[in-house]
Amino acid sequence: MAAASTRPKRSRDGRMSLGAHLIELRKRLFLAALGLVVGMVVGWIVSDFVLSALIRPITEISAEQGRAASLNFTDISSAFDLRIQIAFTVGVVLSSPVWLYQIWAFVMPGLKKSEKRYAVGFLASAVPLFLGGCAAGWYVLPHMVVLLTGFAPEGTTALLTARSYFDFVLKLVLVIGVAFVLPVFLVLLNFAGVLSAVAILKSWRIAILAITVFTAIATPAADVMSMFLLAVPMVLLYFAAAGIAWLHDRRVRRTQQSYDVELAV
């Protein structure tokens, strides 16, 4: 007897039931978690190197501001907790090809063979953009640490707790990484028929305002160069996503028109 298929059952029109969607979601979450665990193992191995890189901006405070600065572990388990956080962050970055693909596979299930190239294109664009965004966050990190600690009065000491400091780094690096991937998800929603290119283009003013506010929050207002370096590629990526969506919508319209002509004959 042939083995039963593990693929979710679909109705005649190709749609999945709620139960099938939940099964598919569980499968995608499991695979994403498995990739994250593997990435965390690697992250734990390189945690010493990452921690040294994280401490480097703190040592620059002494050189640029003439004040004592140090990273402090305030309780017994904080050093271990910090290593876990580092392993988790590195795991998220390293496993990004896995969980980005799982998001794509869940949102766009049942692709035909001719449409499989969309998945390749999605990964080929989303993964470099996410890693590039993380790199951009890592680039502005030292400038932000030195600038923000510079508001403290003269003669004071910068005693930074390890947990709060790494929470700041985590939010900065990962949030900017995700922000760089958002245009790819706009294209994904367009391919899924949820968002049209016209809707994306009509929202360009709101998008630019949101990007400006985001970069102003992610980088100190005094550091205009860092804000500019983050905002420009995000704006360009937004309009690139709108262009790709427009080309896709035009192709869909042409295909629909050819079908209508064939049916009319």
Side-chain angles (χ1 to χ4, degrees):
M1 182 180 294
S5 175
T6 59
R7 296 184 64 183
K9 294 183 179 180
R10 302 173 183 271
S11 59
R12 292 182 178 179
D13 60 357
R15 301 193 177 199
M16 295 169 59
S17 64
L18 177 60
H21 273 294
L22 293 176
I23 294 174
E24 183 73 6
L25 177 61
R26 183 180 63 183
K27 172 186 173 183
R28 298 302 171 188
L29 288 176
F30 173 77
L31 294 174
L34 184 62
L36 176 60
V37 169
V38 175
M40 286 183 65
V41 172
V42 179
W44 180 270
I45 295 173
V46 301
S47 58
D48 283 331
F49 170 78
V50 176
L51 185 58
S52 299
L54 289 174
I55 296 176
R56 196 172 300 121
I58 300 177
T59 59
E60 293 179 2
I61 296 175
S62 301
E64 297 193 17
Q65 300 176 8
R67 74 173 76 231
S70 62
L71 186 66
N72 297 275
F73 299 92
T74 56
D75 52 62
I76 296 175
S77 63
S78 59
F80 176 77
D81 293 340
L82 181 59
R83 295 297 179 105
I84 293 294
Q85 287 182 302
I86 291 174
F88 175 78
T89 305
V90 175
V92 170
V93 174
L94 293 181
S95 64
S96 56
V98 178
W99 55 262
L100 283 170
Y101 175 77
Q102 299 308 320
I103 293 175
W104 167 268
F106 177 73
V107 177
M108 300 288 288
L111 290 177
K112 299 177 182 177
K113 289 184 178 180
S114 60
E115 297 173 327
K116 293 293 184 181
R117 64 182 183 275
Y118 293 155
V120 177
F122 174 77
L123 288 177
S125 56
V127 173
L129 287 175
F130 176 74
L131 297 178
C134 292
W138 186 265
Y139 170 77
V140 301
L141 172 65
H143 306 286
M144 295 183 62
V145 171
V146 172
L147 182 63
L148 292 176
T149 54
F151 288 101
E154 292 185 5
T156 58
T157 302
L159 301 177
L160 306 178
T161 60
R163 181 170 299 176
S164 61
Y165 177 69
F166 191 75
D167 284 343
F168 171 77
V169 176
L170 176 68
K171 292 175 182 177
L172 177 68
V173 173
L174 293 186
V175 167
I176 294 179
V178 171
F180 271 54
V181 180
L182 287 180
V184 182
F185 282 98
L186 290 179
V187 176
L188 176 63
L189 293 174
N190 173 260
F191 279 31
V194 177
L195 195 64
S196 67
V198 175
I200 297 175
L201 288 172
K202 282 185 177 180
S203 303
W204 70 269
R205 294 181 181 86
I206 299 176
I208 292 179
L209 177 61
I211 291 172
T212 304
V213 172
F214 172 79
T215 54
I217 295 174
T219 58
D223 194 359
V224 180
M225 182 57 66
S226 296
M227 178 179 172
F228 180 79
L229 291 175
L230 286 179
V232 169
M234 291 178 67
V235 171
L236 293 177
L237 288 171
Y238 177 83
F239 283 105
I244 295 173
W246 180 78
L247 292 173
H248 177 258
D249 287 351
R250 187 177 67 170
R251 186 181 64 82
V252 170
R253 284 195 302 270
R254 288 181 176 178
T255 303
Q256 186 61 44
Q257 289 173 358
S258 64
Y259 285 156
D260 292 340
V261 171
E262 290 178 1
L263 291 174
V265 175

